[in-house]
Amino acid sequence: MADRKFVYFFGNEDTEGKNSMKDLLGGKGANLAEMANLGIPVPPGFTITTEVCVLYLEKGAYPDGVLDQINDAIEKLERINNKKFGDVENPLLLSVRSGARVSMPGMMDTVLNLGLNDDTVEGLARKTGNERFAYDSYRRFLTMFGDVVLDIDHHKFESVLSAKKKEIGATLDTELKAESLKELVEIFKSIIRENTGNNFPQDPREQLQMAIDAVFNSWNNQRAITYRKLNDIPTDWGTAVNVQSMVYGNMGETSGTGVAFTRDPGTGEKEFFGEYLINAQGEDVVAGIRTPQPIATLKQTMPDAYAQLEEIYQKLEDHFKDMQDIEFTIEEGKLYMLQTRTGKRTAAAALNIAVDMVNEGLIDKETALMRVKPEQMDQLLHPMIDPESEYEIIATGLPASPGAAVGKVVFTAEHAEEMASIDEKVILVRAETSPEDIGGMDAAQGILTVRGGMTSHAAVVARGMGKPCVVGCGAITIDMTSSTFTVCDVTVKEGDYITVDGATGGLIIGKVDLITPGVTGELETLLKWADEFREMGVRTNADTPHDALVAREFGAEGIGLCRTEHMFFGDDRIPVVREMILAEDEDVRKKALKKLLPMQREDFIGIFRAMEGYPVTIRLLDPPLHEFLPKHEELANKLKILEEDASNRPKVEIESLKKVMERVESLIEINPMLGHRGCRLGITYPEIYEMQVQAIIEAACELKLEGIDIVPEIMIPLICHVNELRSAKKDLVEVAEAVIAKNCIDLDYLVGTMIELPRAALTADQIAQEAEFFSFGTNDLTQTTFGFSRDDAGKFLPFYVSDSILEADPFAVLDQDGVGELVKIGIEKGRSTRPDLKIGICGEHGGEPSSVKFGYNIGLNYVSCSPFRVPIARLAAAQAAIEKQDNS
Ligand code: ADP
Ligand code: MG
Ligand code: MG
């Protein structure tokens, strides 16, 4: 053990570490070494490895050799700096900084000016001829050591400091003279004595040992443990400790300290961005003690230092080939770099920087594509609150569907539709939404609900529509009788303006300016690059020509799921649909269906036209019929009113209402999700599917006659047994062939199925004998695999996730071990009997990056997602292909 290397020196030509040694030296230590290797001025120091941390925490003692290596390194620092640690005449002072592999909140804060005591402070004052500086450094050290190493609440020190400033009429720390600082030092030492029962340790060696111990021990403090758990950081990584010679930004008007980004982290603009403070140390800049100066002014105040800084930051960016977040200190005009790391940035900045750096020849397209997080792209596509505007968030709910919206408050779906028809912009505010609200949701600019979670009806539908939506905003109370809602003592009336921000969950009273981005500029460029690398198709889920057009603009290459049930809603249709459902015999039903046929045909023509020859998968009717009927309660109320007024009413009115009620009652199901729906409807009422197929094929024929080639993909939902598909398909093929023959046309079409039940996945080899394509309906497949009802899961899923029973909400992120395994089995079995089977997934997962990547790796031909998620899927698919390439 004794000759094992535990300590790595940095700071001059003897630097032993480098950037690639982050595991051993931590991020901060490795980058300090790398800067030194680049010839950048870094105060010399040494890094005690993460290995030591692990061994120390395991054994409670340092492995042999560590302490000797530390002593050797200190001697070296003394030689280089020509100062001595603990020396009264010319003391060397140190900073002690934690630094794990990744930067981690919860780790110990830095201690500066270590090595000061009642004697060395005097030496420092004499040596620099600056007593104020010496005592300023000492009082800072006592506070940091007291707070960080001895665990004394820092307010105890700060309140004394404030009181002192008040006493002498100073507003800024810098106005404190040496005398006052000396007094503070005495008080701080007594605070330490009172709180620990011991005197402040005067011996610099003891100070250093205590500080190093404290850094290592901080690896196991509660905050660090929690952070590691949340971010999947292994406990055995450990943290490194960096011990570094001090440089002083607090020596007067020619000294200072600052932080900067090599490009604007908010916008990504190629412009040096940062702040500094004259006569300051450490975290003064970020702590808000004084208002820092914008970095540009440094050019005037210290032109030499600025010129050096400029050269260094460009060197760093060229070297690391990414935007850097840097810390620097200027000591009497001389610049030192104290840290560099990859800078955090907004989505917009990530995008702009990635594209700019490719254009500058700094990185290649693959690197650029890997640097933008697909999930961040959501922020870039929806209207958002103008960052320049000022506003107050009065309440916050769950950010269910991104984008911001401004509109007048309405409380019912009908009212929303009315207002929209006269071009009023509205926000639909509901306790929660249900399928009948769809029209109103569509008409509104945004949706706000009091109840419901991230997978509630409002959330799912809004995401599908790409509508801004905030759900579960429990702070508001709706009063339907007065058509108002109240929030924090404010009453908002119907017709008042509000703004909702679906990206953050924020609710704002009044209008806020919005800005609407699109797929243009850098975003367009990056997505084009994504298309060059991606191998998997990206389609969209779209039920209307409008959605189809939006999705095309976002780059969708077809529709993976066109749900037909929405075509059954709408004022002109619902009466006909109800006629069909309430029909007592087949004849009456067929008559109603005949009225629906031309409407459906027009829908399909519109969608086919928007997709310009790209494939369109149309799912035949899926939900249980009762969803199209009025609610039982409503009917019962109506009946009560009619009966009370019976003498004035024609008898037939009451009779017919009673009949409707009977029919509604007969359709009530205990568990509609597992009930009479999907292909079970199509098999028991074949006329419905026949009408739909007729409409689809007629529409395709009509376009074909216009010269637009369409290969409709007819999808039969909820198959669990191959015989269901066989039975349903036989009739449908007959209908299709008849239409084609009648139009004397040659039209290709496919009949396939949705795989959304475990049995279907497990018998996919049999099903593939009948199906020409599969689309995994991962929403229902998740419900049926877990046995969770999506509409009810809100009661326990959030708890499951927060309690780590489940890693993520399986309705948002595909459960790869369970549901994903079924998809894998389905693909393998399906292709075993039909090798050219075309396979995709639709559902929320089709636009979720990790699920998209998973889908690519198990051999999907395409994913399909809501229009606004198409760009996310394009990028995620490209990343999946690049990652695979890199791994092989
Ligand atoms: P964090 O990880 O919180 O950024 P750091 O160790 O980087 O902690 O630093 C805390 C502050 O102390 C920063 O402003 C940094 O620049 C400053 N600092 C750290 N080491 C030194 C040093 N040797 N001389 C002067 N200032 C230092
Ligand atoms: Mg900090
Ligand atoms: Mg730092």
Side-chain angles (χ1 to χ4, degrees), residues 210-389:
M210 286 174 80
I212 294 172
D213 292 355
V215 173
F216 286 144
N217 288 323
S218 75
W219 181 254
N220 276 340
N221 73 30
Q222 203 48 52
R223 260 175 72 202
I225 290 172
T226 308
Y227 185 84
R228 283 203 294 275
K229 225 171 157 184
L230 286 176
N231 292 278
D232 281 328
I233 297 173
T235 301
D236 65 8
W237 278 8
T239 179
V241 181
N242 301 291
V243 178
Q244 188 176 25
S245 332
M246 280 304 300
V247 286
Y248 308 103
N250 56 334
M251 286 188 81
E253 295 307 301
T254 56
S255 302
T257 184
V259 294
F261 292 84
T262 57
R263 302 185 187 213
D264 189 324
T267 65
E269 212 178 311
K270 195 176 179 196
E271 194 179 62
F272 195 38
F273 180 96
E275 292 175 330
Y276 72 103
L277 270 177
I278 296 284
N279 196 11
Q281 188 178 54
E283 311 244 278
D284 287 4
V285 177
V286 286
I289 293 174
R290 280 181 276 151
T291 308
Q293 305 289 309
I295 199 83
T297 63
L298 188 66
K299 205 172 182 167
Q300 282 91 54
T301 49
M302 296 187 203
D304 289 349
Y306 185 83
Q308 256 188 75
L309 186 60
E310 206 162 31
E311 191 186 315
I312 289 172
Y313 93 72
Q314 275 157 3
K315 194 176 200 172
L316 285 173
E317 215 183 54
D318 281 348
H319 181 71
F320 288 101
K321 304 202 184 310
D322 203 350
M323 187 262 274
Q324 297 293 297
D325 165 359
I326 59 180
E327 292 173 8
F328 63 91
T329 282
I330 300 165
E331 178 184 308
E332 301 200 304
K334 185 165 169 22
L335 176 74
Y336 294 92
M337 299 305 294
L338 289 166
Q339 193 170 342
T340 188
R341 62 183 158 195
T342 305
K344 295 217 162 40
R345 59 203 81 181
T346 62
L351 171 70
N352 292 339
I353 291 172
V355 172
D356 284 352
M357 286 193 167
V358 172
N359 294 334
E360 291 162 25
L362 217 52
I363 56 174
D364 58 17
K365 290 180 188 172
E366 287 99 314
T367 310
L369 286 165
M370 295 307 293
R371 277 205 191 150
V372 180
K373 292 199 188 84
E375 50 274 26
Q376 278 188 323
M377 305 240 294
D378 236 12
Q379 298 173 29
L380 301 174
L381 294 165
H382 297 274
M384 48 191 189
I385 291 180
D386 185 342
E388 311 272 294
S389 58

Side-chain angles (χ1 to χ4, degrees), residues 225-232 786 788 796-810 817:
I225 290 172
T226 308
Y227 185 84
R228 283 203 294 275
K229 225 171 157 184
L230 286 176
N231 292 278
D232 281 328
F786 277 88
F788 291 173
F796 57 89
L797 256 188
F799 174 78
Y800 270 34
V801 174
S802 67
D803 228 45
S804 300
I805 292 172
L806 289 179
E807 214 172 293
D809 175 350
D817 293 345

Side-chain angles (χ1 to χ4, degrees), residues 536 827 841 850-861 863:
M536 184 169 62
I827 293 175
I841 61 168
S850 70
S851 313
V852 172
K853 291 181 182 181
F854 175 76
Y856 168 75
N857 287 317
I858 58 172
L860 289 183
N861 299 98
V863 291

Side-chain angles (χ1 to χ4, degrees), residues 738-866:
V739 174
I740 294 170
K742 195 170 149 207
N743 285 280
C744 301
I745 245 178
D746 190 19
L747 181 86
D748 286 331
Y749 64 95
L750 302 176
V751 179
T753 183
M754 211 153 166
I755 304 284
E756 50 191 330
L757 295 170
R759 192 182 189 285
L762 295 171
T763 59
D765 47 345
Q766 296 167 27
I767 292 174
Q769 289 174 344
E770 293 294 328
E772 292 166 298
F773 65 87
F774 283 176
S775 175
F776 285 89
T778 48
N779 290 348
D780 265 330
L781 192 59
T782 299
Q783 296 204 86
T784 52
T785 300
F786 277 88
F788 291 173
S789 145
R790 187 163 67 173
D791 301 318
D792 300 313
K795 295 203 177 79
F796 57 89
L797 256 188
F799 174 78
Y800 270 34
V801 174
S802 67
D803 228 45
S804 300
I805 292 172
L806 289 179
E807 214 172 293
D809 175 350
F811 293 107
V813 180
L814 188 78
D815 157 51
Q816 298 182 8
D817 293 345
V819 180
E821 188 63 22
L822 281 171
V823 176
K824 225 157 96 181
I825 291 170
I827 293 175
E828 276 160 24
K829 286 201 150 187
R831 291 210 173 115
S832 73
T833 52
R834 191 186 287 266
D836 62 346
L837 189 68
K838 196 152 59 152
I839 305 179
I841 61 168
C842 54
E844 296 272 297
H845 306 102
E848 190 285 314
S850 70
S851 313
V852 172
K853 291 181 182 181
F854 175 76
Y856 168 75
N857 287 317
I858 58 172
L860 289 183
N861 299 98
Y862 69 88
V863 291
S864 186
C865 54
S866 54

Side-chain angles (χ1 to χ4, degrees), residues 463-663:
R463 279 200 292 273
M465 290 177 171
K467 281 260 147 144
C469 176
V470 173
V471 300
C473 188
I476 71 171
T477 316
I478 299 180
D479 181 1
M480 290 300 273
T481 51
S482 63
S483 289
T484 58
F485 75 78
T486 47
V487 53
C488 308
D489 295 338
V490 180
T491 300
V492 180
K493 294 190 298 292
E494 190 166 71
D496 288 353
Y497 274 103
I498 59 169
T499 302
V500 291
D501 186 354
T504 60
L507 165 65
I508 299 146
I509 309 275
K511 287 190 197 181
V512 183
D513 288 338
L514 305 184
I515 49 176
T516 309
V519 180
T520 54
E522 272 86 1
L523 184 55
E524 192 178 8
T525 307
L526 189 87
L527 288 172
K528 278 203 183 117
W529 294 342
D531 293 344
E532 288 172 24
F533 287 91
R534 118 181 116 82
E535 291 158 357
M536 184 169 62
V538 176
R539 296 195 191 180
T540 189
N541 301 344
D543 305 339
T544 63
H546 172 261
D547 284 358
L549 278 174
V550 171
R552 284 280 301 123
E553 269 163 35
F554 288 152
E557 302 158 309
I559 293 180
L561 176 62
C562 174
R563 288 165 297 198
T564 49
E565 51 268 27
H566 294 166
M567 300 174 182
F568 282 50
F569 285 103
D571 288 346
D572 49 338
R573 304 186 178 192
I574 199 83
V576 189
V577 172
R578 288 181 179 168
E579 229 173 86
M580 174 208 43
I581 298 171
L582 298 172
E584 277 163 32
D585 55 48
E586 202 181 308
D587 267 355
V588 183
R589 188 175 312 123
K590 277 191 169 156
K591 257 187 217 136
L593 284 165
K594 228 186 188 138
K595 285 190 225 167
L596 280 174
L597 177 70
M599 305 184 198
Q600 286 249 293
R601 189 171 50 222
E602 283 311 308
D603 293 331
F604 294 130
I605 288 174
I607 287 170
F608 288 155
R609 205 165 262 147
M611 291 320 279
E612 299 173 323
Y614 279 110
V616 177
T617 306
I618 297 156
R619 180 177 73 183
L620 302 183
L621 194 66
D622 182 56
L625 294 179
H626 73 81
E627 285 198 10
F628 302 103
L629 293 179
K631 288 238 171 349
H632 188 260
E633 277 172 68
E634 268 169 41
L635 292 173
N637 278 339
K638 222 172 174 180
L639 187 64
K640 214 171 119 202
I641 295 168
L642 281 189
E643 274 172 346
E644 275 164 12
D645 194 28
S647 49
N648 297 324
R649 295 273 176 182
K651 226 174 160 179
V652 283
E653 199 179 351
I654 296 181
E655 287 309 308
S656 80
L657 189 58
K658 276 189 173 157
K659 224 176 237 161
V660 174
M661 272 191 72
E662 272 166 33
R663 185 73 179 128

